[in-house]
Amino acid sequence: QVQLVESGGGLVQAGGSLRLSCAASGRTFSTYAMGWFRQAPGKEREFVAAITWSGGTTSYAGSVKGRFTIPRDAAKNTVYLQMNSLQPEDTAVYYCAHYYRAVTITNTRGIDSWGQGTQVTVSS
């Protein structure tokens, strides 16, 4: 089992930036990829970004491409979500995700652990 601990959410004005962090512990040798999903009130959880752990290949949702990046520090078993040019529609609870196997990275089938979630609120 892998445990994920998130940090870095908060309140920011439109156009601002935030960086989320997610530290993994436990059976981290099983990591295929790590990523971020988000869930806004009244909406389903949606894919935001992910990075494969060995090759560093990244994937982004169309709505965040060009504004968000997902760097990782493999030595610290930590993944980040750097969010720039934030907009009110980015307001959501952001969840870190641990993938244990290779699947279509935008869905949740390969995910075996979730972080506790961190609130990001963007004011207009």
Side-chain angles (χ1 to χ4, degrees), residues 33-114:
M34 291 183 70
W36 295 91
F37 287 67
R38 66 186 182 186
Q39 188 166 18
K43 295 188 176 181
E44 292 188 351
R45 191 173 297 190
E46 64 174 3
F47 170 80
V48 176
I51 184 166
T52 61
W53 213 241
S54 60
T57 302
T58 56
S59 301
Y60 296 96
S63 59
V64 307
K65 195 172 292 186
R67 300 188 297 125
F68 292 10
T69 59
I70 183 168
R72 77 191 190 295
D73 186 334
K76 295 182 178 180
N77 290 314
T78 298
V79 66
Y80 305 92
L81 186 67
Q82 178 64 46
M83 303 183 291
N84 300 326
S85 301
L86 282 160
Q87 299 301 316
E89 52 265 36
D90 295 315
T91 295
V93 177
Y94 284 70
Y95 296 91
C96 179
H98 176 267
Y99 298 76
Y100 71 101
R101 64 187 178 103
V103 292
T104 302
I105 210 158
T106 55
N107 68 45
T108 62
R109 282 200 302 268
I111 295 171
D112 62 349
S113 296
W114 293 94

